[in-house]
Amino acid sequence: MDCTWRINVSNRKRVKLYFLGTFKLESSCYSLSDDFVEIRDGSSTNDKLLGKFCGSSKPQPIVTSNNTAAVQFQTDSGIQYGGFYLVYEETNEKSGN
């Protein structure tokens, strides 16, 4: 299963994304059958990759360079873990990516 969310905030703002609480996916994210979350700097899954996350280490907050982001979650539904809770807000912060 593949889910993609496209996030848009006000013009001249940036998207700040951060994970709250527990982050728990399969430990490997290098195979197409592994579970992972990708965050892109733009509205397309072809835009610059800001991070690809799996395992149990909660990622640091991410700030895009513009007012859009794409979040893609891929799972094979084979092994189920606790998952993640991702929130976003608009910000004036500069991207550190």
Side-chain angles (χ1 to χ4, degrees):
M1 183 167 93
D2 184 7
C3 299
T4 302
W5 298 273
R6 288 171 176 78
I7 300 169
N8 295 294
V9 297
S10 302
N11 287 334
R12 299 187 180 167
K13 299 285 186 175
R14 293 180 174 88
V15 182
K16 181 176 184 177
L17 303 108
Y18 48 97
F19 293 88
L20 297 178
T22 302
F23 181 91
K24 185 74 173 157
L25 299 176
E26 288 181 290
S27 60
S28 172
C29 51
Y30 301 104
S31 162
L32 292 177
S33 65
D34 295 327
D35 297 355
F36 62 84
V37 178
E38 286 184 346
I39 298 179
R40 301 277 178 165
D41 194 14
S43 61
S44 168
T45 55
N46 295 319
D47 286 326
K48 179 183 174 188
L49 180 65
L50 297 177
K52 183 174 184 174
F53 309 105
C54 56
S56 59
S57 294
K58 184 166 49 174
Q60 294 296 311
I62 295 174
V63 178
T64 64
S65 65
N66 58 58
N67 70 323
T68 61
V71 178
Q72 181 179 11
F73 173 56
Q74 181 171 313
T75 179
D76 60 4
S77 301
I79 301 173
Q80 297 178 0
Y81 288 94
F84 62 92
Y85 185 72
L86 179 68
V87 296
Y88 72 91
E89 62 188 16
E90 68 179 33
T91 185
N92 290 318
E93 286 181 46
K94 299 285 185 197
S95 171
N97 307 308

